[in-house]
Amino acid sequence: MFSTEVEQENEEHWIAVSDLMSGLMIVFLLISVMYLVIVEQKNEEIERVVVLYEDLREELYKDLYAEFEQDLPRWGAQLDEDLRLRFTNTDLLFELGESSLRNEFAAIIDDFFPRYLAILTSDQYRDEIQEVRIEGHTSSAWSQAEDSDEAYMRNMALSQARTRSALGYIIDLEAVSHEKQWLRQRLTANGLSSSQLITRGDGSEDEDRSRRVEFVVVTDAETRLSTILQEIR
């Protein structure tokens, strides 16, 4: 009699455990299904943002290239399809080791930036642009540095000072004063030292082309994609 009661209790115990496990499996299954649905929705959202970004980038590139095509050679500049406009003619930018703009570079900015800003702030683009970066780049060389670390840090300070000089000059331009609030919200100065060198075909550093100033457009799509990806994790 006692044995039968124990067996019955054990059986009821395992039935309860079995029911609990089944319930947990159903809960985990529902969670998995919900996660997959969310991921699928986010993937569709990512695809939609990417398409919009590519279309925006292509249209903006065409407008910028049409505006500056004739000027790029005499400025020693190039416009890449990633919306990066590079000024690489070191003879026009800064004196060696100095952060003040050469008169030649100031004259280029006088011509270039108001036209650049007019395109960026047109109705088609102004609300889609998150940031306009002025990036300063140097070569890896510094003649009086004791080692590569000191050269890097000295070039970092120099590149930061140069971009601040360029930013200050642009903010003071009368021709862009009507968009000063928009610029203050988006225009930034970024000194990057020798972290992004330009190399030749054989992999060696091209010191002259590495010393450059770049204007980079960052659209709102990058921020939206970053937010979506963080939500998935």
Side-chain angles (χ1 to χ4, degrees), residues 42-168:
K42 293 300 181 181
N43 286 338
E44 291 176 358
E45 190 174 350
I46 289 172
E47 184 177 353
R48 185 167 59 253
V49 172
V50 168
V51 170
L52 290 173
Y53 166 67
E54 290 178 347
D55 289 345
L56 176 70
R57 183 179 62 180
E58 183 177 349
E59 289 302 314
L60 182 51
Y61 171 79
K62 288 179 179 177
D63 287 346
L64 291 173
Y65 190 76
E67 177 68 29
F68 298 120
E69 179 181 6
Q70 303 301 319
D71 302 299
L72 294 174
R74 66 186 178 88
W75 290 344
Q78 67 184 68
L79 175 65
D80 295 339
E81 292 186 2
D82 63 356
L83 306 180
R84 185 176 294 269
L85 200 155
R86 297 177 173 178
F87 293 93
T88 59
N89 188 341
T90 55
D91 293 334
L92 301 178
L93 303 178
F94 303 93
E95 297 285 352
L96 185 65
E98 300 295 328
S99 61
S100 298
L101 279 64
R102 282 179 176 264
N103 292 335
E104 294 87 346
F105 191 34
I108 289 173
I109 290 179
D110 289 341
D111 184 13
F112 154 71
F113 198 83
R115 295 156 59 194
Y116 184 65
L117 182 64
I119 294 173
L120 300 185
T121 56
S122 64
D123 291 342
Q124 184 176 357
Y125 304 120
R126 69 179 295 128
D127 294 332
E128 302 296 332
I129 294 174
Q130 182 76 18
E131 183 181 4
V132 181
R133 297 176 184 165
I134 307 172
E135 291 186 354
H137 301 266
T138 69
S139 69
S140 62
W142 192 281
S143 60
Q144 298 178 348
E146 294 184 359
D147 54 36
S148 60
D149 287 344
E150 182 181 351
Y152 179 81
M153 294 306 299
R154 287 182 176 272
N155 278 316
M156 180 64 75
L158 178 62
S159 63
Q160 291 174 342
R162 285 177 169 177
T163 56
R164 287 196 300 269
S165 292
L167 185 148

